């Protein structure tokens, strides 16, 4: 049976998240950043990376697994590269700082690449890509995570869900792809658990390595797209863990294991000014491609061709108008600080 839900608008929802985060010692500035990033996801229907994460963050802070006072200074490696050591702090503030730094480099030199090491969960990568798109910049972001995905042909988790996001601006529309390299993000499993709803049999395996439709029995995830998705899963690990962080797969500290341990995730934030090669005409060409895709015949008579990010933008418009639906148990925690029984 699906759990009851509560509908709430974005601003009061942010205030609830801020209240829960500041009561465990998070600075008001950091709490506002984190709340903005979490609600960004819920507004777009990406509930796996939304406010349901708040309770975990507060539990981790209480047990010492998130450093509330990291030094997020940028260490430049060249005029277009740099690295930020998050010091085990909130991944959201570190990733936002990295994106801001890469944007500054790209505005001056045409491109910027900033890595983040020793970070924790940073929320939806689409948020950081959107920061670049607002400045008419192309962006690629990626992050590694702890072991949660079985290798192609395997039964035990090795790499993480290893998400990446990509954005490219047109004159009026933009492409924004944000995806895990697992069949789904583990947050979707958590959301199914909160709602007590079954999951498709190609999402996850049980502890014995067999596919399961019970979210409560889900032990590890499948890579998306078989061996091709597994290959992209490895690519993200190389761009983050190998290039930036110095740790991979089983070496990454678990999100839901020892909550007293600081985490060591790595992030990759690359921003390129599209005008480098084609000038302002690049945006016109990108818009032409998007418009041409929209005009392609759909397989179903009532169907339409959408580009990555369009469904989320439509969800955003609906959520701003009608409010955001969240499970009652999550609302109970956000309102009271107590877990619903």
């Amino acid at each position: 049976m699906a759990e009851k839900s509560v509908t709430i608008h974005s601003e009061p929802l942010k205030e609830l998240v801020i209240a829960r985060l500041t009561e465990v010692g998070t600075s008001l500035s950091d709490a506002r950043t984190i709340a903005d990033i979490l609600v960004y996801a819920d507004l777009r229907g990406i509930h796996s990376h939304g406010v349901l994460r708040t309770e975990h963050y507060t539990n981790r802070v209480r047990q010492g697994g998130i450093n509330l006072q990291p030094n997020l200074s940028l260490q430049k490696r060249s005029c277009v590269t740099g690295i930020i050591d998050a010091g085990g702090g909130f991944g959201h503030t570190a990733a936002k700082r990295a994106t801001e730094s890469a944007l500054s480099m790209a505005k001056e030199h045409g491109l910027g690449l900033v890595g983040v090491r020793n970070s924790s969960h940073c929320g939806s990568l689409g948020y950081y890509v959107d920061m670049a798109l607002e400045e008419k910049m192309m962006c690629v972001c990626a992050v590694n995570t702890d072991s949660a995905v079985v290798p192609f042909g395997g039964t035990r988790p090795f790499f993480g869900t290893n998400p990446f996001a990509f954005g490219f601006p047109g004159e009026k529309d933009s492409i924004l792809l944000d995806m895990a390299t697992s069949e789904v993000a583990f947050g979707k499993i958590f959301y199914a658990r909160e709602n007590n709803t079954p999951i498709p049999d190609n999402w996850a395996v049980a502890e014995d390595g067999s596919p399961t439709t019970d979210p409560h029995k889900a032990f590890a995830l499948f890579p998306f797209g078989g061996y091709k998705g597994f290959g992209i899963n490895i690519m993200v690990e190389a761009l983050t863990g190998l290039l930036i962080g110095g740790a991979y797969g089983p070496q990454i500290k678990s999100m839901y294991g020892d909550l007293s341990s600081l985490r060591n995730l790595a992030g990759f934030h690359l921003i390129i000014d599209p005008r480098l090669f084609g000038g302002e005409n690049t945006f016109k060409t990108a818009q032409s491609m998007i418009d041409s895709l929209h005009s392609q015949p759909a397989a179903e008579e009532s169907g339409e061709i959408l580009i990555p990010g369009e469904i989320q933008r439509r969800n955003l418009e609906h959520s701003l108008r009608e409010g955001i639906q969240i499970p009652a148990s999550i609302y109970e925690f956000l309102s009271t600080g107590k877990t619903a029984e």
Side-chain angles (χ1 to χ4, degrees):
M1 175 189 258
E3 188 188 355
K4 293 180 180 178
S5 64
V6 173
T7 300
I8 182 172
H9 284 279
S10 59
E11 290 308 314
L13 183 56
K14 287 180 186 178
E15 291 304 316
L16 291 177
V17 174
I18 290 168
R20 298 286 74 80
L21 291 172
T22 54
E23 73 182 3
V24 297
T26 308
S27 71
L28 181 58
S29 174
D30 286 354
R32 283 174 173 160
T33 295
I34 296 161
D36 193 44
I37 294 168
L38 295 182
V39 174
Y40 168 96
D42 279 314
L43 279 167
R44 289 158 177 78
I46 313 169
H47 300 297
S48 59
H49 286 65
V51 299
L52 70 77
R53 301 279 182 167
T54 310
E55 183 174 3
H56 169 73
Y57 297 157
T58 59
N59 289 338
R60 197 165 196 102
V61 169
R62 285 192 177 98
Q63 296 193 39
I66 292 179
N67 177 10
L68 294 181
Q69 296 182 315
N71 177 15
L72 297 181
S73 61
L74 174 70
Q75 303 169 36
K76 280 207 165 185
R77 293 293 191 257
S78 72
C79 64
V80 295
T81 58
I83 192 157
I84 292 173
D85 191 325
F90 278 109
H92 315 73
T93 52
K96 187 174 182 182
R97 181 72 60 83
T99 306
E100 291 169 342
S101 298
L103 267 170
S104 179
M105 293 173 185
K107 288 176 181 179
E108 184 174 357
H109 302 290
L111 64 88
L113 170 59
V114 177
V116 178
R117 62 168 57 125
N118 296 320
S119 189
S120 59
H121 192 258
C122 69
S124 170
L125 291 179
Y127 181 92
Y128 312 106
V129 172
D130 251 338
M131 288 175 61
L133 291 174
E134 288 173 6
E135 301 286 346
K136 288 294 185 181
M137 296 283 186
M138 180 197 122
C139 183
V140 179
C141 292
V143 66
N144 64 354
T145 66
D146 52 292
S147 296
V149 178
V150 296
F152 178 70
T155 60
R156 311 299 293 178
F158 189 86
F159 290 125
T161 57
N162 290 8
F164 73 93
F166 166 79
F168 200 100
E171 286 182 310
K172 63 181 179 69
D173 299 311
S174 296
I175 301 161
L176 201 172
L177 172 67
D178 181 1
M179 58 177 279
T181 53
S182 52
E183 185 64 35
V184 294
F186 228 118
K188 291 187 183 294
I189 304 293
F190 299 143
Y191 196 71
R193 288 174 182 172
E194 287 288 344
N195 287 281
N196 290 313
T197 54
I199 59 175
D201 63 6
N202 65 334
W203 280 17
V205 296
E207 197 159 0
D208 64 1
S210 63
T212 182
T213 59
D214 184 345
H216 300 282
K217 292 181 179 178
F219 173 68
L221 302 171
F222 286 112
F224 87 96
Y227 74 91
K228 293 182 179 179
F230 177 51
I232 295 174
N233 183 264
I234 293 175
M235 180 192 73
V236 172
E237 194 70 52
L239 292 174
T240 55
L242 302 187
L243 183 66
I244 306 294
Y248 64 86
Q251 299 171 351
I252 302 297
K253 293 177 182 176
S254 172
M255 186 170 188
Y256 295 98
D258 179 8
L259 299 187
S260 66
S261 178
L262 299 179
R263 301 192 71 206
N264 57 342
L265 306 183
F268 175 96
H269 299 260
L270 173 66
I271 295 176
I272 300 175
D273 186 342
R275 288 161 284 222
L276 267 180
F277 303 102
E280 294 291 335
N281 192 57
T282 304
F283 304 120
K284 186 179 295 185
T285 306
Q287 190 62 50
S288 173
M289 183 188 77
I290 292 168
D291 292 341
S292 294
L293 281 169
H294 284 155
S295 69
Q296 295 303 300
E300 297 180 11
E301 188 173 339
S302 60
E304 56 184 327
I305 307 299
L306 301 176
I307 62 169
E310 280 192 284
I311 291 174
Q312 289 73 28
R313 291 186 188 102
R314 291 180 182 183
N315 289 342
L316 170 63
E317 292 171 3
H318 179 270
S319 297
L320 288 174
R321 186 174 62 251
E322 304 293 337
I324 301 166
Q325 272 197 341
I326 60 173
S329 60
I330 295 172
Y331 180 77
E332 174 72 13
F333 169 76
L334 293 174
S335 299
T336 67
K338 298 177 182 177
T339 303
E341 295 182 1

